[in-house]
């Protein structure tokens, strides 16, 4: 004799006819080409086709857009005859990493202080902290140029460093603030109950928990600093040529395919750094 309870459970597990019909229609819909997938593919093509074109013409022997044959002549000139180009790249990397490091430290501390502490003028500071993000770069560059002229500071790498730190700081603040909004405040209370001081809670509890936001803010700051031209052109001086300024100065005489070779080298370096950071973050997350 069959158990009535087992028969009832077997009937409950069996899906109904409308549910099976909806499942089949969903599978058919997933197989068809949707508008969102099409737009995604078009957007990816729009972003990556210029990179493929740059890589393709970096192996072209001819200087113009007519492809003749595969050659490594531009890579030879890049590594053996382009000292000024490497110097401008070094200036860009130096300013980018130093300004991003300072902006990350200040932006992280600002996000923690503004999010968790109450003080006079808090809402005003929160409002004006996003001004460098929404103001045109020309206005920021001119205002900084006037400020540097008023304090009699000579234009050079130091002024570029200060300017890049200023406009990168809001991006770090935004990234870290978004991470802090998802933070579990009970962890801080538990650390205080266990006898941890404010400094110990900051360095051993808060910062490790918001580290993904800090790293994201730092990487975005490096990217924003490396590609900036408008502000850099206004606050730069003699001997402080960065890579965007150097490339723009070449346009008057025709851009050399050496830039294509350098672009391919930078793409490979960025891919390697991304892979290393991805592995490091996975190891960090598994260790937590």
């Amino acid at each position: 004799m069959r158990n009535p309870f087992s028969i009832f459970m077997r009937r409950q597990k069996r899906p109904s006819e409308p549910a099976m019909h909806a499942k089949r229609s969903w599978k058919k819909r997933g197989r068809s080409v949707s508008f969102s997938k099409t737009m995604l593919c078009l957007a990816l093509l729009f972003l990556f086709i210029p990179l493929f074109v740059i890589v393709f013409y970096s192996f072209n022997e001819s200087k113009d857009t007519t492809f003749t044959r595969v050659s490594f002549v531009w890579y030879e000139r890049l590594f053996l005859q382009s000292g000024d180009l490497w110097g401008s790249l070094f200036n860009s990397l130096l300013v980018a990493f130093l300004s991003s490091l300072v902006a990350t430290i200040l932006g992280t501390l600002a996000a923690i202080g503004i999010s968790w502490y109450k003080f006079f003028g808090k809402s005003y500071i929160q409002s004006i902290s996003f001004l460098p993000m929404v103001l045109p770069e020309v206005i920021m560059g001119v205002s900084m140029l006037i400020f540097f002229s008023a304090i009699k500071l000579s234009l050079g790498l130091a002024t570029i460093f200060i300017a890049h730190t200023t406009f990168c700081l809001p991006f770090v603040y935004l990234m870290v603030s978004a991470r802090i909004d998802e933070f579990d405040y009970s962890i801080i209370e538990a650390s205080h109950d266990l006898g941890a001081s404010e400094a110990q809670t900051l360095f051993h509890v808060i910062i490790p928990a918001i580290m993904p936001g800090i790293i994201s803010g730092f990487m975005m700051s490096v990217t924003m600093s490396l590609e900036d031209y408008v502000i850099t052109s206004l606050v730069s001086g003699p001997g402080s040529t960065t890579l965007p300024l150097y490339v723009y100065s070449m346009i008057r005489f025709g851009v050399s395919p050496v830039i294509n070779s350098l672009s391919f080298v930078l793409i490979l370096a960025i891919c390697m750094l991304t892979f290393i950071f991805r592995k490091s973050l996975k190891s960090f997350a598994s260790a937590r």
Side-chain angles (χ1 to χ4, degrees), residues 12-26:
Q12 291 296 321
K13 292 181 181 179
R14 185 181 302 171
S16 59
E17 187 66 25
M20 295 176 64
H21 178 71
K23 188 176 181 180
R24 287 194 297 266
S25 62
W26 175 257

Side-chain angles (χ1 to χ4, degrees), residues 125-230:
I125 294 177
Q126 285 179 323
S127 300
I128 66 173
S129 60
F130 296 103
L131 280 180
M133 298 177 60
V134 298
L135 287 176
E137 292 187 355
V138 175
I139 297 178
M140 284 196 62
V142 171
S143 62
M144 290 181 182
L145 179 60
I146 295 173
F147 172 74
F148 294 144
S149 300
I151 63 176
K152 308 298 182 182
L153 184 60
S154 300
L155 299 181
L157 288 178
T159 54
I160 298 176
F161 163 75
I162 297 173
H164 284 204
T165 303
T166 303
F167 79 80
C168 286
L169 199 151
F171 294 96
V172 179
Y173 171 77
L174 181 64
M175 290 288 184
V176 179
S177 297
R179 184 69 179 179
I180 290 177
D181 291 339
E182 302 176 355
F183 193 82
D184 187 6
Y185 292 90
S186 62
I187 302 177
I188 300 178
E189 297 176 357
S191 65
H192 289 164
D193 293 338
L194 294 174
S197 62
E198 290 288 340
Q200 290 174 337
T201 303
L202 176 64
F203 290 104
H204 297 285
V205 177
I206 299 176
I207 290 181
I210 63 175
M211 186 58 68
I214 296 175
I215 296 177
S216 300
F218 176 79
M219 297 303 296
M220 177 170 285
S221 299
V222 171
T223 304
M224 297 292 295
S225 178
L226 284 176
E227 60 88 23
D228 180 75
Y229 170 76
V230 178

Side-chain angles (χ1 to χ4, degrees), residues 81-103:
Q81 304 176 13
S82 303
D84 294 337
L85 180 60
W86 287 108
S88 63
L89 178 61
F90 175 78
N91 290 337
S92 294
L93 293 176
L94 179 64
V95 172
F97 279 97
L98 290 180
S99 61
S100 299
L101 180 62
V102 176

